[in-house]
Amino acid sequence: MLDTSGAPLLDAPGARPDVVKPDAAELASATGCEVAGAGAERLRGLGARSVVVSSGPGGLLAVTPEGRRRAVPPERLAGNPTGAGDACVAALAAGLADGARWVDVLSDAVALSAAAVACPVAGDVDAAAYERFRTTVTVEDLHAPQPH
């Protein structure tokens, strides 16, 4: 799992990480691609197996060997976004380590991130919000995978 920005975001995929998780601004800055899907495909072309792009309240875009999916939280949240990206990475890593399907991994990552935003203190998670969001995150298939 790689969560970085700047030049390492373009250099590290050569090591063939399973997942690269930039946010949309980091991805655009490193790749020059304003469209997240194009930037994610660029990182896959450089060697990343899968790329998950976080877009804050817009949720996640995942470009994987299985295809593209977008996962969005069930509602707009106000709160403290500090730590939401780390919560996302933790949920991605845990789900993939458990062998969960991508649709479930993404749903859980959005739910945990949203539950982190709902807390005023960075690094904390609103457990009740997490349980509520786990069943209400929307995950949409966008289209088939691109060959690499």
Side-chain angles (χ1 to χ4, degrees), residues 117-135:
V117 170
C119 282
V121 177
D124 203 358
V125 173
D126 182 325
Y130 172 63
E131 288 304 318
R132 187 174 78 248
F133 296 151
R134 288 181 68 198
T135 59

Side-chain angles (χ1 to χ4, degrees), residues 1-6 8-9 12 17 19-23 26 52 54 84-90 92:
M1 180 75 59
L2 175 69
D3 183 9
T4 191
S5 61
L9 190 55
V19 179
V20 177
K21 205 283 315 152
D23 68 30
E26 293 166 343
V52 178
S54 58
D86 292 332
C88 176
V89 168
L92 291 170

Side-chain angles (χ1 to χ4, degrees), residues 59-60 71-74 77 84 87-88 91 103-118 124-139:
L60 301 174
V72 296
L77 297 169
C88 176
V103 66
D104 298 323
V105 171
L106 294 170
S107 180
D108 198 52
V110 168
L112 191 62
S113 296
V117 170
D124 203 358
V125 173
D126 182 325
Y130 172 63
E131 288 304 318
R132 187 174 78 248
F133 296 151
R134 288 181 68 198
T135 59
T136 56
V137 169
T138 301
V139 181

Side-chain angles (χ1 to χ4, degrees), residues 9-111:
L9 190 55
L10 294 179
D11 295 337
R16 308 250 185 262
D18 287 328
V19 179
V20 177
K21 205 283 315 152
D23 68 30
E26 293 166 343
L27 182 64
S29 177
T31 65
C33 299
E34 292 301 318
V35 176
E41 290 294 352
R42 176 145 183 231
L43 294 183
R44 287 197 68 224
L46 293 172
R49 180 168 166 79
S50 299
V51 179
V52 178
V53 183
S54 58
S55 299
L60 301 174
L61 169 68
V63 180
T64 75
E66 295 177 14
R68 288 186 185 200
R69 290 187 175 91
R70 179 165 309 283
V72 296
E75 60 192 65
R76 281 284 229 207
L77 297 169
N80 182 2
T82 304
D86 292 332
C88 176
V89 168
L92 291 170
L96 294 171
D98 287 345
R101 298 176 314 142
W102 266 107
V103 66
D104 298 323
V105 171
L106 294 170
S107 180
D108 198 52
V110 168

